[in-house]
Amino acid sequence: MKQKAVAFCTLGCKVNQYETNAMMQNFIEAGYAIVEFEEKANIYVINTCTVTNMADKKSRQMLRRVKEINPDSILVAVGCYVQVAKEKLEEISEIDLILGVNEKSKIVEYVEEAILKKNEASTLEKVSDVAKQQEFVEFGTVTYTEKTRAVIKVQDGCNQFCSYCIIPYARGRIRSRRPEKVIAEITRIAEKGIKEVVLTGIHLASYGREFAPNIVSNISNVLKYEIDKKEFLLIDLLEEIQKVEGIERIRLGSLEPTLITEDFVKRLSKLSKICDQFHLSLQSGCNETLKRMNRKYTTEEFEKGVELLRKTYPEVHLTTDIIVGFPGETEEEFQKTYEFLKRVGFYKMHIFKYSPRNGTIAAKMPNQIDGNIKDERSNQLIRLSDQSEENYEKQYIGKKVKVLLEDREGEYIKGHTTNYMVVKVKTEKELENTIQKLRITGLKDLELIGEI
């Protein structure tokens, strides 16, 4: 019998990418072949995103494209958009199977059920109430690998309820992965020769906050470490990962600014494998705007965390996210954000124009901002970010840096420093997945040029 082929399209964040890789692995173990999305396949899986209305639209567009590639295929809609807008997907008659966030781990079982029911008129639906999910859903022995680094999902869900964000409704409340499962996966990764791991989650800073004392008391038995704590938080997990032989770099995904306390940074500074690059999600440099966003910190508290990191890591690079044109953002508020960003001096800033998200408080707020104003404010911050990145990188010309070389582009191999600058070196040697000390000789198109 000819092997069935499965194709995936993944929208959204690294958590979605991790989960797609997990679903792929499940299909492979069940005897299926994985093919590129544009190829003819028996099954197409669209791992949807719902972070913005535009993400919703793109999810629907990708779903409608599939039957043009193969009208006889099984079309599966899965993930965050499904979780919050199942009724809208029910209107797309081409969809054969609708799966929620928690159903991803059983996708093969549900697909095979959908195949058997292919000729029935109704769409098969499996969407549980994510708000009731209390435990982290495991996918088995799966790793999402980006060239020479591996992305590890350690947390799911969010309790923050920012006024612009739909994700708590799509992903449910916070749920953390058991530390012994994380350590076991990272140990397998190290055995494969991968040197860098990136920890990711929907709200990474909340890792471990829901662990009960009786659960935590069992961790030491499984890990065979002496952990005499009433809680097991992100910093505790990082201290355990530090012990895994073969892993040389530990990188953190997006962090909540409130995580950056003196105690956290003091303990973090003792971990030699932690990369000196942190993404702190700011969203606005104006306290009035932050309050409307329902962010749980002030710019003063944010800046204190920045000072702690810079005092501890002399070469640290900080990146952030900024939303411009949030409802009620006056010109004065925007200027406060602009001046704050200039003063803090981020390495890079990811700029987003506010887009109303149905189902959120912000979408109903008065004083929505005109699109032209959003465009202008966005352009100003993009220019500021580009200039800041260039200024940072120029400082490294003539210096030596350690680079994890990742993939070849023609005559060059490209990689990243610990503080996440892109460096490329011209060489014929096969140096992928090695850490090399390079001297920086120049800068072109915001990429540093190095030599061995």
Side-chain angles (χ1 to χ4, degrees):
M1 187 175 74
K2 187 178 179 181
Q3 189 178 31
K4 288 187 175 69
V6 187
F8 283 82
C9 172
T10 306
L11 304 170
C13 63
K14 273 189 166 56
V15 172
N16 256 13
Q17 291 286 351
Y18 177 94
E19 291 172 351
T20 287
N21 200 76
M23 290 187 285
M24 285 181 177
Q25 187 65 34
N26 290 342
F27 274 109
I28 291 169
E29 290 175 358
Y32 292 76
I34 306 299
V35 299
E36 295 297 322
F37 186 75
E38 297 298 334
E39 295 181 44
K40 191 171 182 178
N42 305 99
I43 301 145
Y44 292 88
V45 180
I46 312 297
N47 196 359
T48 63
C49 175
T50 191
V51 70
T52 64
N53 286 343
M54 186 58 69
D56 290 353
K57 182 179 179 181
K58 192 167 184 181
S59 294
R60 292 193 299 270
Q61 287 174 341
M62 296 308 296
L63 285 161
R64 294 187 186 280
R65 277 185 57 193
V66 166
K67 296 294 183 170
E68 297 174 7
I69 304 172
N70 183 4
D72 299 321
S73 62
I74 294 287
L75 173 56
V76 185
V78 63
C80 293
Y81 182 47
V82 172
Q83 201 67 47
V84 298
K86 179 169 68 72
E87 68 286 350
K88 291 187 179 180
L89 293 177
E90 290 170 346
E91 297 171 2
I92 303 177
S93 60
E94 294 92 341
I95 299 175
D96 299 290
L97 176 60
I98 295 176
L99 299 179
V101 168
N102 287 334
E103 285 65 43
K104 290 180 180 181
S105 62
K106 295 182 178 179
I107 188 169
V108 176
E109 174 186 330
Y110 294 135
V111 162
E112 292 181 347
E113 184 179 345
I115 291 171
L116 293 175
K117 296 182 178 181
K118 172 67 176 169
N119 296 324
E120 296 182 12
S122 60
T123 300
L124 182 63
E125 296 181 7
K126 303 286 184 178
V127 183
S128 60
D129 184 354
V130 73
K132 296 180 180 179
Q133 181 68 28
Q134 296 183 346
E135 295 184 2
F136 185 93
V137 176
E138 285 284 344
F139 279 94
T141 56
V142 178
T143 300
Y144 165 47
T145 304
E146 294 181 334
K147 301 294 182 182
T148 57
R149 64 172 56 85
V151 178
I152 314 298
K153 178 186 170 187
V154 302
Q155 185 276 336
D156 208 339
C158 183
N159 293 358
Q160 297 299 100
F161 290 95
C162 299
S163 63
Y164 53 83
C165 187
I166 198 71
I167 296 305
Y169 304 98
R171 285 280 179 171
R173 304 297 80 79
I174 60 171
R175 308 179 298 285
S176 303
R177 191 176 185 188
R178 290 287 295 267
E180 65 269 19
K181 297 286 188 180
V182 178
I183 297 301
E185 181 171 354
I186 292 176
T187 300
R188 289 193 298 272
I189 287 165
E191 289 169 353
K192 294 178 181 178
I194 293 174
K195 294 179 172 57
E196 180 177 316
V197 292
V198 184
L199 302 194
T200 190
I202 298 299
H203 192 255
L204 185 60
S206 68
Y207 177 86
R209 290 182 185 174
E210 83 286 13
F211 282 149
N214 64 322
I215 295 176
V216 176
S217 66
N218 293 328
I219 292 172
S220 58
N221 296 329
V222 181
L223 289 178
K224 296 182 173 59
Y225 297 137
E226 293 183 3
I227 301 175
D228 184 20
K229 294 177 167 51
K230 291 184 179 179
E231 58 186 11
F232 194 93
L233 304 178
L234 181 62
I235 187 63
D236 300 294
L237 180 65
L238 294 172
E239 288 171 347
E240 298 305 324
I241 296 172
Q242 170 78 19
K243 300 172 186 176
V244 178
E245 294 184 10
I247 297 299
E248 297 186 34
R249 291 183 177 184
I250 305 168
R251 198 178 296 279
L252 298 173
S254 180
L255 297 175
E256 190 76 7
T258 54
L259 180 71
I260 311 301
T261 62
E262 288 188 15
D263 179 65
F264 178 84
V265 175
K266 183 179 179 180
R267 290 172 65 181
L268 198 70
S269 68
K270 297 175 181 178
L271 308 181
S272 61
K273 298 178 182 180
I274 294 292
C275 289
D276 50 351
Q277 177 259 330
F278 301 93
H279 186 87
L280 305 181
S281 186
L282 174 61
Q283 306 304 356
S284 175
C286 171
N287 285 335
E288 293 85 352
T289 310
L290 287 173
K291 189 173 182 179
R292 290 197 304 279
M293 290 178 168
N294 196 32
R295 302 291 285 174
K296 308 298 193 298
Y297 52 83
T298 63
T299 55
E300 291 79 12
E301 291 166 336
F302 187 97
E303 199 162 7
K304 184 179 179 181
V306 167
E307 290 170 0
L308 278 171
L309 289 171
R310 285 186 168 150
K311 183 179 178 181
T312 306
Y313 298 96
E315 298 289 322
V316 70
H317 281 185
L318 302 173
T319 58
T320 195
D321 299 319
I322 298 294
I323 297 174
V324 297
F326 189 76
E329 184 186 63
T330 63
E331 185 60 32
E332 181 184 2
E333 289 183 352
F334 172 72
Q335 287 303 322
K336 285 182 180 179
T337 291
Y338 188 89
E339 293 303 320
F340 182 78
L341 297 177
K342 278 182 66 177
R343 185 169 73 251
V344 171
F346 292 97
Y347 170 52
K348 287 184 184 180
M349 296 175 283
H350 304 286
I351 312 302
F352 302 91
K353 290 177 281 189
Y354 171 74
S355 173
R357 181 63 183 84
N358 296 335
T360 62
I361 294 172
K364 300 176 183 177
M365 285 182 175
N367 303 316
Q368 298 285 328
I369 307 301
D370 179 77
N372 292 329
I373 295 175
K374 292 179 190 177
D375 289 342
E376 175 55 32
R377 291 175 182 175
S378 174
N379 290 337
Q380 285 187 54
L381 295 189
I382 289 171
R383 288 194 293 270
L384 179 64
S385 179
D386 288 347
Q387 187 60 57
S388 179
E389 184 179 354
E390 185 176 359
N391 291 342
Y392 264 94
E393 293 183 348
K394 280 180 177 177
Q395 298 174 24
Y396 285 84
I397 295 176
K399 294 183 179 180
K400 289 187 176 181
V401 294
K402 288 184 178 180
V403 181
L404 174 57
L405 295 172
E406 296 160 32
D407 52 332
R408 180 170 290 281
E409 292 185 357
E411 297 178 302
Y412 291 87
I413 300 180
K414 184 184 291 188
H416 287 84
T417 61
T418 56
N419 53 16
Y420 217 57
M421 295 186 301
V422 176
V423 182
K424 61 183 184 181
V425 58
K426 190 174 182 179
T427 178
E428 295 180 356
K429 297 179 181 178
E430 298 299 323
L431 298 176
E432 289 92 333
N433 198 32
T434 66
I435 295 177
Q436 300 290 328
K437 197 166 189 178
L438 306 179
R439 188 175 75 86
I440 303 301
T441 59
L443 173 65
K444 183 178 181 182
D445 298 327
L446 298 179
E447 287 185 343
L448 291 166
I449 311 298
E451 65 178 16
I452 299 173

